[in-house]
Amino acid sequence: MSRVAIVTGGGRGIGAATARKLAADGLAVAVVDLDETTAGETADAIKQAGGTSIAVGADVSDSAQVTAAVERVAAELGPPTVLVNNAGVLRDNLLFKMSDDDWETVMGVHLRGAFLFSRTVQKHMVDAGWGRIVSLSSTSALGNRGQANYATAKAGLQGFTKTLAIELGRYGVTANAVAPGFIATDMTQATAARVGVDWDDFVKNAVSQIPVGRAGRPEDVANTVSFLVSEGAGFVSGQVIYVAGGPRA
Ligand code: NAP
């Protein structure tokens, strides 16, 4: 029987590419997204390619919705033993202009979301004696102007990951973080729009600072997640892998 994976924020960008890659690897994939329609588009693409997938609409920061989502996945696909905490939002602002809501929203989606999903799914992993948790951090964890909220959340996910690795290792569960640099997605396009820079110029400027000389693609991150989820990665745990075309973006 296929292993069952949950990818949060799988409707678009990195999450959608990761869901497609894990399905191509042979996993059954539950695509969770705030918007069930976009999740459905990813799930349909997976099914058209011959894979197994369902779409689940849920807000990762809402405890009751997370519980219901995991119960639905377990009932329809089987117990989930792979979790990719990918859902994310930006509310960038310089500290003096950052509102309470900018702070709470980012903490809610990235940190509370990863906490709620990991806490709910770990039971299935412990029961199975096997599991993989991968959370999306970012090079912004190292500090980034205008992102006090996001940098804090992404650094927090690294501490969260290392702690899960220590607590869950004895049950055959690994926990790792992937920290992308500049990846061309709706999220980075929204940043370009917010700062009023033409997208092509924004990409050109980012690429000028990336050692491998190109922008990241969602598939670059998906391939790294695929390795961490694989059977062969069972002795890799509590790590942060930067996927940034260099040591950091
Ligand atoms: P994206 O294109 O904006 O996609 C984010 C996805 O998360 C969307 O499908 C969105 O749903 C979903 N989402 C947002 N809030 C949610 C919630 N409360 N509950 C459930 N789903 C929610 O972003 P991306 O660029 O692919 O980024 C994916 C992850 O990688 C994020 O954690 C991000 O912080 C991280 N990352 C990205 C980059 C980059 O350069 N792109 C770099 C480093 C790290 P809707 O479509 O319904 O809004």
Side-chain angles (χ1 to χ4, degrees), residues 119-134:
R119 187 181 64 180
T120 311
V121 170
Q122 59 80 32
K123 181 187 175 301
H124 295 291
M125 299 179 176
V126 170
D127 286 350
W130 190 94
R132 300 279 189 262
I133 299 173
V134 180

Side-chain angles (χ1 to χ4, degrees), residues 12 14 33-35 58-60 86 137 150 154 180-181 183 185:
R12 292 192 276 131
I14 292 169
D33 207 288
L34 202 50
D35 179 354
D59 179 346
V60 298
N86 166 83
S137 179
Y150 185 80
K154 292 309 199 186
I183 311 291
T185 67

Side-chain angles (χ1 to χ4, degrees), residues 6 16 141 154 158 178 241:
I6 293 176
K154 292 309 199 186
Q158 296 190 10
V178 173
I241 301 186

